[in-house]
Amino acid sequence: WNAPDTVNVGTEVKYMDGSGETKSVMLPADSSQLVISDWKLPTKIYYRSSYKPESHAIDTFRVSYYDSLTVSNLPADKSTWKQVLLLGDAVVDAYGTSLSNIWDGKPGAYPEVYHSDGAYIPHTFTIDLGKTYAKLTKFEEWGRTDFDGHNPDDFEVWGIADTTGAVPALRPDDPGWKDETMAKGWTLLTEVKRNDDGIAGVQTDIISNPPPVRFIRIRVLHAVDGDTFSHMSEISFWYNP
């Protein structure tokens, strides 16, 4: 909220809670922040201010209509994510780990990571987000926190709405894989290149005006130690409704 002016009395804020009920709260004139803990994502938030024509006026006036806030960069719900094994994907549940560890809500150390089998690089793994997002906006990745060697320092994030008939026949380490993947309808959403140990979370922007996306395919191009193994500990996406 912008700093209120001298004639603002207060602002009514209306929203829908998690059970679908419409609620109303008041934002005092001297407040610039409002925390709504039970807001149902990504429904709109409406507001209407009351004011006095001048600071010493007796009467209070209220705006005749509600305006709405632009809702953007919401976190994608990870509870619907699951692994999809496409032709050419690497084994990523190796060494007692699981791919699902990278959407458990927290970065971590072994075994709370995914670990590839190290057969070859570049290699891919695929995730079904559980719903189609019209506009993904941001992506974040954390590496394994107790060993940096296999953390990726160069990888691509691809997306598509439907994998039917869209699976490349070439293996991800084939020089022609990228061209075939684009020909199948996949879009390169972002490429992450790091110059560190790959541990700390790094957030990147998704390309502007991305297509609708439900399936994510991450293609690891290089790891910090140059080996064929890779591991991650957490990834996240944000979107505009």
Side-chain angles (χ1 to χ4, degrees):
W1 302 95
N2 291 328
D5 57 43
T6 57
V7 297
N8 179 267
V9 175
T11 299
E12 179 191 8
V13 179
K14 292 177 66 175
Y15 68 96
M16 183 180 293
D17 68 10
S19 63
E21 180 183 351
T22 299
K23 290 186 174 180
S24 178
V25 294
M26 289 299 299
L27 179 73
D30 59 354
S31 298
S32 60
Q33 296 186 55
L34 177 65
V35 177
I36 302 176
S37 59
D38 58 348
W39 171 43
K40 182 179 181 179
L41 297 172
T43 56
K44 283 191 174 183
I45 294 177
Y46 297 90
Y47 64 96
R48 180 170 63 174
S49 294
S50 298
Y51 63 94
K52 293 183 177 182
E54 58 181 27
S55 59
H56 298 295
I58 297 175
D59 296 325
T60 299
F61 294 86
R62 186 169 58 185
V63 176
S64 59
Y65 61 90
Y66 288 91
D67 206 343
S68 62
L69 291 174
T70 299
V71 181
S72 61
N73 290 321
L74 300 177
D77 179 12
K78 300 181 183 181
S79 67
T80 60
W81 296 12
K82 61 182 180 181
Q83 180 179 359
V84 177
L85 191 61
L86 298 184
L87 180 68
D89 279 346
V91 175
V92 289
D93 291 343
Y95 300 95
T97 67
S98 172
L99 185 64
S100 62
N101 288 331
I102 70 172
W103 60 82
D104 63 3
K106 60 184 185 303
Y110 177 86
E112 299 299 318
V113 300
Y114 98 75
H115 198 308
S116 73
D117 60 358
Y120 52 85
I121 202 166
H123 56 248
T124 56
F125 58 88
T126 308
I127 300 169
D128 177 0
L129 300 180
K131 60 176 289 187
T132 300
Y133 290 90
K135 188 173 183 179
L136 293 175
T137 57
K138 294 181 182 295
F139 169 78
E140 185 178 68
E141 181 265 342
W142 286 75
R144 177 175 165 178
T145 59
D146 63 334
F147 176 71
D148 61 3
H150 302 330
N151 284 337
D153 56 9
D154 188 3
F155 62 93
E156 300 167 340
V157 181
W158 295 80
I160 199 170
D162 186 357
T163 58
T164 303
V167 182
L170 295 175
R171 215 167 70 166
D173 60 341
D174 189 290
W177 182 92
K178 188 171 184 178
D179 287 339
E180 185 189 11
T181 295
M182 291 189 293
K184 291 284 187 179
W186 291 80
T187 298
L188 180 58
L189 301 175
T190 187
E191 181 174 357
V192 180
K193 293 186 176 184
R194 308 184 57 154
N195 296 313
D196 58 0
D197 58 14
I199 293 178
V202 168
Q203 192 174 107
T204 58
D205 291 330
I206 300 297
I207 60 169
S208 59
N209 300 316
V213 168
R214 172 169 176 166
F215 296 90
I216 294 293
R217 203 171 199 194
I218 293 181
R219 185 187 187 213
V220 178
L221 303 176
H222 189 268
V224 170
D225 61 4
D227 207 337
T228 56
F229 293 98
S230 75
H231 44 216
M232 293 181 184
S233 68
E234 191 70 19
I235 65 170
S236 303
F237 284 95
W238 286 261
Y239 71 101
N240 288 345

